[in-house]
Amino acid sequence: MDVNAVGGDHREFLDATLPYLDAVWQVARHTAGDGLQPEDLVQETYLRAYAGFGSFRGGNTRAWLVAICLNAARSEVRRRRRRPWEVTGLALADVAAGAGSREWQPDVADIVIAGLDAQVVSRCMAKLAEPQRVCITLVDVAGLTAREAAQALGCPRGTVLARLHRGRRRLAGLLAEAGVSHGRS
C-alpha cells in the first residue's frame, strides 16, 4: 500500500484512529462470529480504514470505524455461509493447542458482567433480531451515543433509540426466563 495514498504521512491516520481502538475492540468482541477472532476483525477494520482514509471526509471518526468493523464482520459471515467447509490453518492450530490460552486483561465490562452466566447472556443476545443486537452492542457495550450508532449504521437516531428500547426490553425478558438476575437476591 502506498503511504502517499493517505496524504503522505501515516501519522495522520494513526492520530485520527488510534484513540478509538477500544471502541472498535468492544464492537469486534461482540460481533465476531464463529471462526472470526476479535483481533482479526480489529485488524481488518484498521486495514480497511487505512485504505479508505484518503477519501474520509472527516466527521465522527469513531462512528466511521465502527461502521467499517460492522461491515467487515457482516462480510465475513456472508463469506463463511458461502464456504462453510473451509477451515483455516489457524483454527486447526487453535484446536490442537487448546484454544483460549491467550493472556488478556479484563476490562470494565468484563468485571461488571463477571457475576452473570456469560453463556446464557450470549444465547439470549443471539435470540434478538440483528438490528436490536447491533444497537445494544454499539450503545451499551461499545459506549457509542445513539447519534454515533445511527451514523455507523446509516439510519436515523430515532430508529436506533427504538431498536434499543425494544431490544433491551426483549433481552430483559429473555434473561428473566433464563433465570439471570440483575444482582438482586
Side-chain angles (χ1 to χ4, degrees):
M1 178 174 293
D2 184 17
V3 175
N4 293 326
V6 291
D9 190 4
H10 68 280
R11 290 182 197 271
E12 181 182 351
F13 170 75
L14 295 175
D15 290 343
T17 60
L18 281 183
Y20 306 109
L21 182 60
D22 287 340
V24 172
W25 169 251
Q26 288 297 327
V27 171
R29 267 189 45 216
H30 294 280
T31 59
D34 293 337
L36 180 66
Q37 298 295 321
E39 296 90 355
D40 295 338
L41 186 53
V42 170
Q43 183 177 18
E44 180 67 21
T45 299
Y46 271 81
L47 286 171
R48 289 181 182 194
Y50 185 73
F53 191 65
S55 61
F56 179 58
R57 306 257 186 266
N60 191 332
T61 306
R62 181 164 73 165
W64 179 65
L65 287 169
V66 166
I68 293 170
C69 184
L70 288 171
N71 289 334
R74 288 177 182 145
S75 295
E76 181 64 17
V77 168
R78 282 191 303 272
R79 186 188 71 75
R80 288 192 182 276
R81 277 191 203 135
R82 287 190 309 265
R83 298 182 181 153
W85 57 88
E86 277 185 4
V87 177
T88 64
L90 182 57
L92 290 174
D94 284 347
V95 169
S101 62
R102 295 182 184 153
E103 291 184 33
W104 60 276
Q105 298 279 332
D107 61 20
V108 175
D110 291 329
I111 294 168
V112 171
I113 296 174
L116 299 175
D117 184 351
Q119 290 179 344
V120 173
V121 173
S122 293
R123 280 193 300 259
C124 290
M125 282 287 287
K127 291 178 182 178
L128 296 175
E130 183 191 1
Q132 293 172 353
R133 186 174 55 249
V134 168
C135 285
I136 288 173
T137 299
L138 293 178
V139 175
D140 294 338
V141 178
L144 271 66
T145 65
R147 186 174 313 284
E148 291 170 333
Q151 238 180 336
L153 296 170
C155 66
R157 180 177 172 269
T159 301
V160 169
L161 292 173
R163 289 174 182 170
L164 276 172
H165 176 72
R166 288 187 201 108
R168 287 172 179 162
R169 205 170 63 206
R170 173 104 169 98
L171 182 60
L174 290 169
L175 290 171
E177 288 173 15
V180 177
S181 70
H182 300 283
R184 300 180 200 131
S185 300

